[in-house]
Amino acid sequence: MSEEKTNEENYEIAKGKELRIAISGKSGCGNTTVSTLLSEKLGVTLINFTFRQLAKEKGLTLAQVIENAKTDDSYDITVDTRQVELAKKESCVLGSRLAIWMLKEADLKVYLWASDDTRAKRILNREGGDIDEIKRFTSMRDSEDSRRYKKLYDIDNNDYSFCDLIIDTSLYTPEQIVEQILQEAHKRGFVEKK
């Protein structure tokens, strides 16, 4: 057994309980990575249906979906409704821009934060391209997301002060972030150590 494995705690959902963890953060905050790792660690379903998946389903680019969503609310409503419906069915990790606001039943709400520069660099590493163009696109996307969320749901996605955990993702690895979330879930009695 490796040194790393012996120091790492293993958790499972407490007997007789269900657990829904909602994780939100803007593009490039590590939301998908952290949500995926956490769902694997707990052995629960990951729900992460986003504009990116909707674009694939519709045969469009992400930029086209974002542009269409400016004038057609059905894009947001489709994504948001599908996620919440799926999350209510079983224990899960719901990772999305609006998870912490939309899944009111979440047992634990986590907001992942990172500076604009950190986010742009991560997007560049993930997708390639030009850093200045990524910064422009990300800024436009943030602004457009905020406008739509306010209009559709009266949600201010810059107010996440109600979350159980707010984590600056530039300070930790995804694995360390997952460990923090699991420790909080353990402290609240939702998971137990194996």
Side-chain angles (χ1 to χ4, degrees):
M1 193 178 254
S2 75
E3 184 70 28
E4 190 178 313
K5 286 289 178 207
T6 54
N7 292 334
E8 192 178 274
E9 298 285 358
N10 287 310
Y11 298 91
E12 61 190 2
I13 295 175
K15 301 278 182 274
K17 293 201 179 207
E18 287 193 349
L19 175 61
R20 289 169 185 83
I21 300 176
I23 303 177
S24 292
K26 294 182 180 179
S27 180
C29 282
N31 194 3
T32 302
T33 302
V34 169
S35 297
T36 301
L37 286 172
L38 182 60
S39 70
E40 289 169 358
K41 211 72 167 119
L42 286 171
V44 298
T45 301
L46 168 66
I47 299 169
N48 185 2
F49 188 80
T50 65
F51 270 5
R52 195 174 298 281
Q53 283 78 31
L54 189 62
K56 283 182 188 161
E57 271 188 15
K58 291 183 171 285
L60 300 170
T61 66
L62 176 60
Q64 286 172 314
V65 167
I66 291 169
E67 188 58 36
N68 293 350
K70 289 179 182 178
T71 55
D72 183 348
D73 295 343
S74 72
Y75 285 85
D76 280 290
I77 293 166
T78 297
V79 167
D80 301 331
T81 305
R82 193 174 313 176
Q83 290 183 132
V84 172
E85 285 170 355
L86 291 168
K88 285 181 179 180
K89 290 181 180 177
E90 61 185 326
S91 290
C92 65
V93 175
L94 173 59
S96 79
R97 300 266 191 282
L98 290 180
I100 60 174
W101 291 276
M102 298 296 281
L103 187 61
K104 299 191 183 339
E105 302 83 356
D107 299 298
L108 199 58
K109 295 180 180 182
V110 181
Y111 190 82
L112 303 180
W113 182 90
S115 70
D116 293 347
D117 280 348
T118 298
R119 293 167 51 217
K121 287 175 190 163
R122 287 181 180 162
I123 294 167
L124 177 68
N125 289 339
R126 180 177 73 203
E127 299 171 12
D130 173 70
I131 191 73
D132 292 326
E133 182 50 41
I134 288 168
K135 285 180 180 180
R136 275 193 297 279
F137 181 78
T138 304
S139 174
M140 175 280 293
R141 186 176 183 186
D142 288 348
S143 165
E144 195 50 41
D145 285 349
S146 294
R147 183 194 66 75
R148 285 194 331 276
Y149 303 155
K150 189 72 177 159
K151 176 185 154 211
L152 284 174
Y153 306 114
D154 197 28
I155 288 172
D156 174 1
N157 71 323
N158 293 305
D159 177 13
Y160 41 84
S161 57
F162 59 90
C163 286
D164 301 302
L165 286 173
I166 299 169
I167 301 170
D168 180 345
T169 63
S170 68
L171 302 176
Y172 309 99
T173 66
E175 292 77 14
Q176 290 170 326
I177 294 167
V178 167
E179 190 61 28
Q180 287 181 52
I181 296 167
L182 288 168
Q183 286 172 5
E184 184 66 22
H186 180 258
K187 193 170 84 179
R188 292 168 181 252
F190 294 119
V191 298
E192 40 198 38
K193 293 179 182 178
K194 287 188 197 178

